[in-house]
Amino acid sequence: MDTKMIGNKIAVARKKINMSQAGLAAHVFVSAQAVGKWERGESLPDVITLNQLAKILGVDLNYFSENQQPPEDVRLYKVAANGDVDQTKQEIADPSDPGELQLLTNFSGSDLVKSDFAGVKAHKSKFNGSALRGSDFTKADLTGSSFSGSDIRAANFEEANLTVCTLSVSDLTEARFNKAILVRTEFSRSALTGAKFSNAKLIDVKLTKTDLRQTIFENCVFDGVDFNYSDLSGLCFDKQVFTGVKFHNSALTDVSFNGATLNCVSFRSPYALTNRYYRAIKTIRFDDAMMDKLTYATLKGLGADLSKVTFI
């Protein structure tokens, strides 16, 4: 990490809004001497302070990247005497610029409650053991990132790219995934109570060993999804599309697939076939569903009510 480059960028952005070192120091609760050391490249602010600096200086976190555009090409703000931040200029750099690189990749153990990560590019970043409750990841590119043991309650992942991301042993209560890009994403042993997946296509996603009883799925397409050892009891999958999906070792009592399309979908008991498993399968609703003949045969053999099913 180039401390001199970061220090120079702090100085340039600070001068652009006519703020003194002492003034900037007061906003982030450090001494003016500390700001001086940052700008001379003698030390670096920690990740939380850097996030605060980005907001105060009116720049995106990516501004501190080595190849990011100078502050005259990014959104700038003026900090008033009362601490309010007013926008003074808006010239946003092209986010598709191939020179745009992420600076920070390890946010583990950080207090980032309600942080603004909207639109950032953060490939292979680590958010392990972090407080991210209420954070905004709208349209962020988080490809290959990991969220393990983190508090991600009420976070917004709308249109975020979560390709090859791992979210394990994390609290995702009431998190939102509207139109999120979910390709080979792994959710494991995480809390998804009230979490909402809407208008999304889940491709080769794993939702394993997870309690999904109060998770919401609306207008989704499931392609190659694995629900191994998850509890789906009471879920509504009405009018959604399932291709190559595995419901192996899953709890499926009172699940609804009314009007859904099921093609090459596999159902397998967690143990040897028992009366309890048969009873659970009989509670699943398939009214007006469409399915291929192999899926139909599997469910028929398990005793499912397929009286209102049609073939694809």
Side-chain angles (χ1 to χ4, degrees):
M1 191 176 292
D2 192 334
T3 56
K4 289 186 178 180
M5 178 273 294
I6 295 172
N8 181 64
K9 290 202 169 190
I10 293 173
V12 171
R14 175 181 60 78
K15 293 173 183 177
K16 198 72 180 178
I17 59 173
N18 298 316
M19 180 179 285
S20 67
Q21 287 185 345
L24 181 58
H27 279 287
V28 291
F29 306 104
V30 299
S31 66
Q33 289 80 5
V35 174
K37 287 184 177 181
W38 295 340
E39 295 185 355
R40 292 192 298 272
E42 296 174 5
S43 65
L44 276 176
D46 59 38
V47 63
I48 298 174
T49 304
L50 197 61
N51 187 59
Q52 294 172 329
L53 287 172
K55 293 179 180 179
I56 294 164
L57 297 174
V59 297
D60 187 273
L61 268 176
N62 284 333
Y63 162 66
F64 296 110
S65 299
E66 184 175 357
N67 294 327
Q68 182 60 282
Q69 299 294 325
E72 58 263 30
D73 292 328
V74 297
R75 189 175 297 154
L76 297 177
Y77 299 83
K78 179 179 179 181
V79 181
N82 62 1
D84 292 338
V85 181
D86 299 317
Q87 186 172 343
T88 59
K89 181 179 180 181
Q90 183 173 337
E91 296 178 14
I92 303 174
D94 182 0
S96 64
D97 181 2
E100 182 180 354
L101 300 175
Q102 73 276 17
L103 168 67
L104 301 170
T105 59
N106 194 342
F107 296 89
S108 298
S110 299
D111 184 357
L112 296 167
V113 172
K114 295 184 179 179
S115 291
D116 182 4
F117 291 100
V120 303
K121 181 179 180 181
H123 286 190
K124 297 182 180 179
S125 293
K126 295 181 180 180
F127 297 88
N128 303 326
S130 297
L132 295 159
R133 185 174 66 256
S135 291
D136 186 4
F137 291 94
T138 301
K139 295 184 179 180
D141 186 351
L142 302 168
T143 300
S145 295
S146 64
F147 298 78
S148 178
S150 296
D151 179 358
I152 323 174
R153 288 174 290 170
N156 186 7
F157 290 96
E158 182 170 3
E159 296 187 57
N161 187 348
L162 296 171
T163 298
V164 202
C165 284
T166 301
L167 300 97
S168 61
V169 201
S170 293
D171 190 347
L172 288 154
T173 300
E174 296 185 353
R176 290 161 288 165
F177 296 91
N178 182 45
K179 297 182 180 179
I181 299 171
L182 300 162
V183 180
R184 300 193 302 280
T185 312
E186 294 188 19
F187 297 86
S188 175
R189 295 171 292 169
S190 294
L192 284 162
T193 302
K196 186 173 184 179
F197 295 80
S198 54
N199 306 299
K201 185 171 184 179
L202 291 76
I203 301 174
D204 296 330
V205 171
K206 292 184 178 180
L207 286 148
T208 58
K209 298 181 181 179
T210 297
D211 186 347
L212 299 169
R213 288 177 296 176
Q214 297 183 55
T215 305
I216 301 166
F217 294 96
E218 291 183 353
N219 195 32
C220 291
V221 173
F222 301 84
D223 190 343
V225 176
D226 188 349
F227 288 99
N228 197 26
Y229 283 106
S230 289
D231 190 346
L232 291 77
S233 300
L235 273 186
C236 177
F237 287 122
D238 291 355
K239 298 182 180 180
Q240 298 177 78
V241 179
F242 299 82
T243 303
V245 174
K246 296 178 181 178
F247 292 102
H248 292 179
N249 312 308
S250 301
L252 296 164
T253 303
D254 292 323
V255 175
S256 175
F257 289 97
N258 292 338
T261 300
L262 295 87
N263 189 19
C264 297
V265 176
S266 177
F267 294 82
R268 187 175 296 170
S269 169
Y271 308 106
L273 291 176
T274 62
N275 288 334
R276 181 178 180 182
Y277 186 68
Y278 280 113
R279 288 197 298 270
I281 291 293
K282 289 179 179 179
T283 67
I284 303 175
R285 297 180 296 282
F286 293 102
D287 292 356
D288 300 318
M290 296 187 296
M291 60 182 68
D292 67 295
K293 292 183 179 180
L294 290 177
T295 302
Y296 181 93
T298 298
L299 289 167
K300 182 179 180 180
L302 294 172
D305 181 0
L306 306 177
S307 59
K308 297 182 181 179
V309 167
T310 56
F311 292 126
I312 294 173

